[in-house]
Amino acid sequence: MNAITDVAGVAVGQVTLIEDLANGHKVRTGVTAILPRGHASYELPAFGAWFALNGNGEMTGTAWLEESGQLEGPVMLTNTHSVGVVRDAVIAERVRAGGADASGYWWSLPVVAETWDGELNDINGFHVHPEDAARALHEAKGGPVAEGNVGGGTGMICHEFKCGIGTASRRVRVGARDYTIGVLVQANYGLRDSLRIAGVPVGQYLRDDRIYSAPNPAAGDTGSIIIVVATDAPLLPQQLKRIAKRAGMGLARMGSYAGNGSGDIFVAFSTANAEALRDQPLQQASFIGNDHLDGLFEATAQAAEEAIVNAMVAARDMQGDGGHYARAIPHAALVKLLKRFNRYRPPH
């Protein structure tokens, strides 16, 4: 499916909130939930790691993720001012799921990440509610993943084109076995000039509707991106940290330089070694040797790059709060440019 859900067991749920309010404000936001082990994610953690290429953003739960090397529960994506309500909702859902610990409470530090959709969304209206996060969790499933103006990506913009949620995957052979790398992005970063697709300097040619840099040519890099990397390859937390870092290379291929105003934060997890993560005094885990990781590194960079392109291509024009407008990248003009630079291959 060319999606993060190609990693067996991974489930994605999305709630999209689009509404024109009576007071003139417009809601263009939502929530995306990624469950590493589907609905068993509350009961069994996964080895994981995170990396901030530039930290002008928020991803909760990372101190314990760094300390323990374990991702406990889902990864949630939403807008900047809804991180708190989504975090609290995840804890409430875990409590409702049953079976508190011996103290009578679940101890939970959820991973919730954000990008800012205030150009198109009435972000200070606080329109994401606990039930929205709960629904994203309950409706999470495997299979195809909707892209573009959906979930946490509903109001997002990248390279001054309408953007949002995107996903892609790669299959990698290591030794005698095949493994899958899946990536999901919430893309909301970058100015037009730096945009590159398949190596083509697209941003130098598609110059219309530059919502930040046209009125202010001195505008600096803005926005953020969250990248979630999933794999079924058996990797230890320090190896997953290395995988998370490689997501930034896919971002760089798109023309990003991770400017001061951009929050570029990545998280990676492995669904392997499930038995080693059950509560036992002594555990054994398998892992791929460091000298055999290059294919996974390359796959991560490729899938991250394509996931961003997919988010941009799947998005559609959107008018939002305050009359602000974001145009989707024009497909015909993009194909024409790719052909001009001999980078186009027809779909198959």
Side-chain angles (χ1 to χ4, degrees):
M1 295 171 292
N2 197 31
I4 193 171
T5 47
D6 287 330
V7 178
V10 174
V12 174
Q14 305 198 81
V15 169
T16 302
L17 303 173
I18 297 178
E19 185 179 1
D20 296 345
L21 302 177
N23 63 7
H25 285 297
K26 297 185 187 298
V27 180
R28 305 286 188 268
T29 193
V31 183
T32 295
I34 303 101
L35 282 66
R37 301 190 187 280
H39 294 281
S41 298
Y42 292 120
E43 312 301 328
L44 189 63
F47 281 141
W50 77 292
F51 176 69
L53 181 63
N54 191 66
N56 194 346
E58 178 67 282
M59 181 182 284
T60 69
T62 52
W64 181 237
L65 177 58
E66 182 78 17
E67 183 75 15
S68 68
Q70 296 182 18
L71 175 61
E72 301 175 2
V75 176
M76 307 293 289
L77 310 180
T78 190
N79 75 62
T80 307
H81 291 180
S82 298
V83 168
V85 69
V86 171
R87 176 192 178 277
D88 292 350
V90 173
I91 296 174
E93 283 304 302
R94 185 172 185 182
V95 171
R96 276 194 285 270
D101 62 19
S103 68
Y105 301 94
W106 275 119
W107 182 82
S108 185
L109 294 170
V111 174
V112 182
E114 56 77 27
T115 58
W116 185 82
D117 58 12
E119 182 74 14
L120 296 173
N121 175 49
D122 175 32
I123 193 169
N124 290 329
F126 307 108
H127 300 291
V128 175
H129 299 128
E131 55 266 32
D132 300 317
R135 184 153 67 93
L137 288 166
H138 286 297
E139 294 180 359
K141 61 184 185 302
V145 176
E147 297 174 290
N149 307 358
V150 295
T154 299
M156 302 305 170
I157 299 165
C158 63
H159 291 287
E160 303 182 85
F161 285 119
K162 184 67 189 73
C163 210
I165 298 295
T167 191
S169 67
R170 293 292 186 274
R171 186 174 294 124
V172 181
R173 171 148 289 213
V174 180
R177 297 193 59 180
D178 288 332
Y179 299 106
T180 300
I181 288 276
V183 171
L184 185 142
V185 303
Q186 182 168 293
N188 188 59
Y189 72 94
L191 297 179
R192 183 69 56 81
D193 286 355
S194 64
L195 174 61
R196 304 179 71 85
I197 296 179
V200 177
V202 170
Q204 299 295 315
Y205 293 89
L206 304 182
R207 307 295 293 160
D208 295 337
D209 304 305
R210 291 177 293 130
I211 57 178
Y212 301 128
S213 60
N216 179 15
D221 196 14
T222 186
S224 301
I225 184 170
I226 304 299
I227 303 180
V228 182
V229 185
T231 186
D232 55 6
L235 300 175
L236 299 178
Q238 68 267 28
Q239 295 176 311
L240 288 162
K241 170 80 82 172
R242 300 180 73 194
I243 290 286
K245 290 178 179 179
R246 268 62 182 188
M249 304 189 81
L251 180 59
R253 291 181 182 185
M254 295 296 300
S256 171
Y257 54 87
N260 178 68
S262 189
D264 309 310
I265 307 178
F266 319 140
V267 60
F269 62 83
S270 168
T271 60
N273 286 306
E275 290 304 313
L277 287 155
R278 300 188 188 278
D279 185 18
Q280 299 292 335
L282 181 65
Q283 301 286 20
Q284 291 184 328
S286 62
F287 62 95
I288 293 173
N290 284 336
D291 288 341
H292 302 273
L293 292 177
D294 281 357
L296 296 170
F297 290 162
E298 182 180 14
T300 301
Q302 283 188 11
E305 177 187 20
E306 187 185 351
I308 299 168
V309 175
N310 289 345
M312 199 178 302
V313 169
R316 296 294 180 263
D317 295 355
M318 177 175 282
Q319 186 175 19
D321 203 46
H324 298 157
Y325 209 97
R327 298 281 185 186
I329 192 167
H331 292 186
L334 175 59
V335 169
K336 184 177 179 179
L337 273 174
L338 293 173
K339 289 179 176 178
R340 174 177 172 180
F341 284 82
N342 198 29
R343 300 295 296 165
Y344 177 77
R345 288 189 298 178
H348 59 276

